[in-house]
């Protein structure tokens, strides 16, 4: 007698396929979603006899959904213009903190909470490596990525300066050439220092460095001599000038102490004396005033850079990434999140662009990898399979009724 069990297994398996396809289509616009595919397998067989040749006569018992596999192919990356969004291009997952347990996601549609922590839309913290003084330590335990929203970066006193200068070799003795450069004290207050070059003889110039009147009460090592050879190259001093300073600053700042970098890249002097108009072409110094936090960005390597109103940038952390050896072993948690299992193996943690992990793109997200054309094709196939199994049930019902009628 015909068995309803066989077509019913087909209907159940086809329903699984239809539901999976429907779930894919429903998540067509879900950030970081990965499409799924149902794999089928036949059920056990009954041996109902043998052929004359000895070949077994085996009758199948139906079908089952043997596996539902997620397809971890790359989704398209689209720009959002939102600094908190991050797209992962390549292998790996972002690491999230769920009550002290690490879980994982491809959804980089992040935001900030009231404390400046980088979080998911469901409120989970995004994990990374901490930075101290702008230096990331990848040997430290993972910690939440925190943005210094509302903070003020302290000032940095100038400890060195440089000037790219030419002094006119044809100038007469006594000619004075002023240059100005802005330096900062420990409070972040700017002081316009004037460096005055005065020609004292053939190939020799004196210099003096001064702050505006009333800025400081005394100075240290602010005068000296520059000597050039017949080609106009600086020969003395042969090293950067250290120990320059000003004491008794009237704004209450600490004494200023800095060096003058008269040598540039490769030890090449930055001051020349040739027959050309005296001029200061460029100046450099390493101090800055205090600055208010303005924005942040995430580089391709995951480093999080905070920008301040004083033009400075500070690395405040580095987004960590993770991967597992068996992606199909991951447990799907919803909200685009995954958890490791015994089947997936323990997650290995690293940084963007290393150990086979992908790279990051700031102000962008990864779209789902659902292929709507392929899904519609699979939908038609699954629908026809369901209809075919429904016909088998109907036929079996007719056969069963005929069998009953034979008894009566």
């Amino acid at each position: 007698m015909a068995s309803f069990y066989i077509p019913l297994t087909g209907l159940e398996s086809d329903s699984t396929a239809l539901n999976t396809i429907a779930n894919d289509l429903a998540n067509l616009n879900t950030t970081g979603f990965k499409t799924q595919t149902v794999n089928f397998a036949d059920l056990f067989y009954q041996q109902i006899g043998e052929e004359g040749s000895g070949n077994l006569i085996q009758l199948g018992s139906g079908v089952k959904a043997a596996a539902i596999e997620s397809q971890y192919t790359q989704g398209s990356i689209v720009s959002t213009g939102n600094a908190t969004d991050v797209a992962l291009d390549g292998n790996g997952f972002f690491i999230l903190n769920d009550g002290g347990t690490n879980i994982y996601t491809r959804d980089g549609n992040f935001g900030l909470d009231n404390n400046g922590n980088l979080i998911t839309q469901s409120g989970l913290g995004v994990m990374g490596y901490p930075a101290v003084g702008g230096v990331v330590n990848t040997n430290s335990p993972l910690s939440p990525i925190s943005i210094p929203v509302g903070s003020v970066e302290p000032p940095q006193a100038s400890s060195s300066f440089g000037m790219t200068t030419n002094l006119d070799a044809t100038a007469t003795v006594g000619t004075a050439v002023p240059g100005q450069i802005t330096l900062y004290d420990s409070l972040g207050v700017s002081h316009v220092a004037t460096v005055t070059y005065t020609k004292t003889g053939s190939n020799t110039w004196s210099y003096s460095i001064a702050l505006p009147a009333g800025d400081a009460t005394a100075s240290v090592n602010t005068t000296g001599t520059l000597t050039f050879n017949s080609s106009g190259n600086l020969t003395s001093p042969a090293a950067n000038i250290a120990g320059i300073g000003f004491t008794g600053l009237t704004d209450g700042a600490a004494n200023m102490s800095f060096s003058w970098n008269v040598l540039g890249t490769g030890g090449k002097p930055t001051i020349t004396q040739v027959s050309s108009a005296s001029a200061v072409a460029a100046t450099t110094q390493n101090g800055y005033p205090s600055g208010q936090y303005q924005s942040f960005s995430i580089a391709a390597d995951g480093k999080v850079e905070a920008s301040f109103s004083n033009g400075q940038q500070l690395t405040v952390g580095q987004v960590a990434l993770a991967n597992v050896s068996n992606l199909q072993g991951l447990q799907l948690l919803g909200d685009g999140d995954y958890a490791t299992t015994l089947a997936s193996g323990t997650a290995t943690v690293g940084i963007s662009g290393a150990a086979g992990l992908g790279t990051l793109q700031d102000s962008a997200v990864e779209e789902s990898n659902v292929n709507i054309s392929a899904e519609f094709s699979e939908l038609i196939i699954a629908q026809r399979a369901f209809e075919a199994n429904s016909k088998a049930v109907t036929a079996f019902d007719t056969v069963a009724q005929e069998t009953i009628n034979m008894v009566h």
Side-chain angles (χ1 to χ4, degrees):
M1 181 175 175
S3 172
F4 284 95
Y5 176 77
I6 295 176
L8 287 177
T9 62
L11 290 175
E12 182 178 2
S13 299
D14 294 334
S15 295
T16 300
L18 288 168
N19 288 334
T20 301
I21 295 167
N23 186 61
D24 287 347
L25 292 172
N27 285 282
L28 180 64
N29 294 315
T30 300
T31 304
F33 178 81
K34 298 304 178 185
T35 188
Q36 292 182 300
T37 302
V38 179
N39 295 326
F40 300 104
D42 50 356
L43 294 176
F44 63 91
Y45 286 80
Q46 302 177 51
Q47 181 179 343
I48 59 175
E50 293 184 1
E51 299 177 6
S53 62
N55 295 333
L56 299 179
I57 301 174
Q58 302 173 86
L59 179 62
S61 301
V63 66
K64 66 178 180 180
I68 301 178
E69 295 184 344
S70 295
Q71 306 302 313
Y72 291 94
T73 55
Q74 181 69 41
S76 299
I77 293 178
V78 294
S79 176
T80 64
N82 185 357
T84 58
D85 290 339
V86 191
L88 175 51
D89 186 4
N91 298 325
F93 299 85
F94 299 107
I95 305 172
L96 311 177
N97 180 16
D98 184 13
T101 301
N102 287 342
I103 62 175
Y104 310 91
T105 188
R106 293 280 302 191
D107 183 358
N109 182 208
F110 300 141
L112 296 178
D113 65 13
N114 293 334
N115 297 317
N117 294 315
L118 192 65
I119 59 172
T120 66
Q121 296 303 309
S122 58
L124 301 181
V126 180
M127 304 296 284
Y129 295 103
V132 177
V135 178
V136 174
N137 184 359
T138 55
N139 294 318
S140 294
L142 297 183
S143 61
I145 294 292
S146 183
I147 310 301
V149 176
S151 68
V152 175
E153 183 183 40
Q156 175 174 293
S158 301
S159 61
S160 67
F161 79 94
M163 306 181 80
T164 303
T165 307
N166 179 64
L167 301 175
D168 191 351
T170 64
T172 59
V173 172
T175 298
V177 178
Q180 291 181 333
I181 183 170
T182 300
L183 303 176
Y184 294 90
D185 63 26
S186 62
L187 295 178
V189 177
S190 63
H191 302 268
V192 179
T194 302
V195 180
T196 303
Y197 305 91
T198 303
K199 188 165 186 179
T200 58
S202 177
N203 295 332
T204 60
W205 296 69
S206 67
Y207 67 83
S208 64
I209 306 171
L211 294 185
D215 281 14
T217 59
S219 62
V220 178
N221 196 29
T222 55
T223 61
T225 300
L226 304 175
T227 304
F228 300 87
N229 62 19
S230 59
S231 298
N233 297 318
L234 182 70
T235 58
S236 178
N240 294 328
I241 305 169
I244 303 170
F246 293 92
T247 61
L249 272 73
T250 55
D251 64 2
N255 294 336
M256 297 180 70
S257 178
F258 47 87
S259 62
W260 181 2
N261 297 331
V262 296
L263 302 180
T265 304
K268 182 178 180 180
T270 59
I271 305 174
T272 58
Q273 181 203 242
V274 295
S275 180
S276 181
S278 296
V280 177
T283 62
T284 61
Q285 61 87 35
N286 63 351
Y288 49 80
S290 62
Q292 186 75 33
Y293 166 82
Q294 289 188 318
S295 62
F296 80 95
S297 62
I298 300 178
D301 63 0
K303 288 184 178 177
V304 183
E305 303 282 343
S307 299
F308 296 85
S309 59
N310 57 4
Q312 298 300 306
Q313 289 188 320
L314 180 68
T315 300
V316 296
Q318 186 170 14
V319 175
L321 299 177
N323 208 357
V324 296
S325 57
N326 177 22
L327 293 172
Q328 299 305 324
L330 289 171
Q331 179 185 1
L332 281 64
L333 303 176
D335 287 327
D337 300 335
Y338 302 84
T340 57
T341 66
L342 289 175
S344 69
T346 303
T348 56
V349 179
I351 59 173
S352 172
L357 294 169
T359 56
L360 301 182
Q361 182 172 331
D362 191 19
S363 302
V365 294
E366 179 191 8
E367 293 184 321
S368 78
N369 63 354
V370 175
N371 184 324
I372 190 170
S373 298
E375 296 293 336
F376 280 158
S377 298
E378 293 296 327
L379 182 63
I380 293 172
I381 294 171
Q383 179 185 8
R384 288 177 176 173
F386 189 93
E387 291 172 349
N389 282 293
S390 297
K391 292 292 185 182
V393 171
T394 301
F396 281 18
D397 181 64
T398 301
V399 171
Q401 189 61 49
E402 289 295 334
T403 302
I404 293 172
N405 291 337
M406 287 174 58
V407 175
H408 296 285

